Amino acid sequence: MSAVEPLHPLAGLMPAPLPGPDPLRLGLPRRELVQVTARHGADPTGLGFALPGPGESAETAGITALWMQPRGWLLSAPWDGEGALLTRAAPLAPAAALVDQSHGRCTIRLAGAKSRAVLAKLCRIDLHPRIFGPGRVAATQVAHLACLLHQAEPEAFELIVFSTLAANLLDALASAAAEYGYAPG
Amino acid sequence: MRIPCPHCGPRDEAEFAYRGDATKQRPAPDAGIEAFHDYVYLRANPRGWHEEWWQHAAGCRAWLRVRRHTVTHEIAAVTPA
Ligand SMILES: [Zn+2]
């Protein structure tokens, strides 16, 4: 089945590349997002893996589960058609409320040797590897915006933010990265 | 000021919203207008330890009961609401 992938909410707003000594790679991956909120007294299972504890993520079969709040998670997966992730998450439904957030929120990815240094200018949590690290998640503020911050790889972070506020965040990230340079990627 | 969220760890005060005095108890439905006036409008303004509701609004969204010193901002206890 060929699914038409909708535009990322920031499509067309990516700044022109800025040359620099160690450019940050700014990416706009189009993801499906499903919010999972456990029902009172219920334990959502059925995805084939345990939903992660506070500040953690878990990944299986292309679905990444991010801890978002007590008894609340966000599932993220590459775009596979409108509602596809919601369908895959259906086994959780008896124990949890599922809400498709694929359009309400979007993902910005930053990668490169300076990604942590750029984020450190904009957020107040300790991202040093002895505290944070690959797989860790924080619901926190970045550039004064409430974000879900996920360290996807040793040198790559993903920010999930309300789509209506995302342009401001992209702008702030580009400004913070100016001394190193940046490019789409 | 930093508040140690029991779910997220220590976070800057900017991530939290103050949600009021945690010592106030809702009166019984038949307690009368004076008791409800007190409950809705009257607050002590203590110099010292105070029990407060804070919500980790820009983080995990949880409501927390925080024991805070109003002069030093020292925080003695944080528990989930
Ligand atoms: Zn929290």
Side-chain angles (χ1 to χ4, degrees):
Chain A
M1 191 182 78
S2 68
V4 177
E5 183 173 316
L7 289 174
H8 192 285
L10 298 178
L13 296 177
M14 180 64 87
L18 181 73
D22 204 346
L24 184 76
R25 298 192 308 281
L26 280 168
L28 300 175
R30 194 67 177 95
R31 301 276 165 76
E32 288 185 79
L33 302 168
V34 169
Q35 186 173 358
V36 178
T37 308
R39 297 187 196 280
H40 189 70
D43 184 21
T45 55
L47 272 188
F49 65 105
L51 293 172
E56 301 291 343
S57 64
E59 190 174 348
T60 295
I63 300 179
T64 305
L66 309 165
W67 184 89
M68 190 160 56
Q69 59 196 125
R71 299 177 58 71
W73 298 265
L74 197 67
L75 306 180
S76 174
W79 189 270
D80 190 34
E82 192 76 50
L85 182 58
L86 192 62
T87 303
R88 290 185 69 190
L92 297 173
L98 303 178
V99 180
D100 195 326
Q101 297 279 7
S102 307
H103 295 271
R105 301 179 194 198
C106 66
T107 306
I108 301 175
R109 181 181 170 92
L110 46 162
K114 294 298 181 189
S115 53
R116 186 159 64 93
V118 169
L119 272 179
K121 296 185 190 184
L122 300 173
C123 97
R124 299 163 191 251
I125 65 169
D126 191 350
L127 297 173
H128 191 279
R130 74 171 174 259
I131 301 290
F132 217 68
R136 295 296 307 277
V137 174
T140 188
Q141 282 179 323
V142 179
H144 307 289
L145 301 171
C147 274
L148 199 58
L149 168 62
H150 173 217
Q151 185 165 359
E153 294 167 29
E155 291 189 347
F157 295 84
E158 298 196 357
L159 300 170
I160 300 173
V161 64
F162 292 123
S163 296
T164 49
L165 305 175
N168 291 49
L169 182 58
L170 183 61
D171 204 43
L173 289 168
S175 299
E179 65 172 302
Y180 311 118
Y182 51 78
Chain B
M1 185 172 83
R2 277 190 198 159
I3 298 176
C5 174
H7 308 294
C8 305
R11 292 295 179 88
D12 192 276
E13 171 231 348
E15 294 191 2
F16 295 82
Y18 180 65
R19 297 297 192 193
D21 186 335
T23 64
K24 286 289 182 182
Q25 295 285 329
R26 185 181 176 85
D30 58 357
I33 192 74
E34 285 301 321
F36 270 93
H37 179 273
D38 275 19
Y39 169 65
V40 173
Y41 295 110
L42 299 187
R43 295 290 179 270
N45 186 18
R47 179 185 168 85
W49 291 104
H50 193 216
E51 297 285 330
E52 302 172 330
W53 298 121
W54 286 81
Q55 189 192 8
H56 195 186
C60 68
R61 270 74 171 176
W63 281 59
L64 307 171
R65 187 185 176 103
V66 177
R67 182 166 170 77
R68 179 181 70 98
H69 197 286
T70 59
V71 178
T72 63
H73 295 309
E74 185 186 348
I75 289 175
V78 182
T79 49

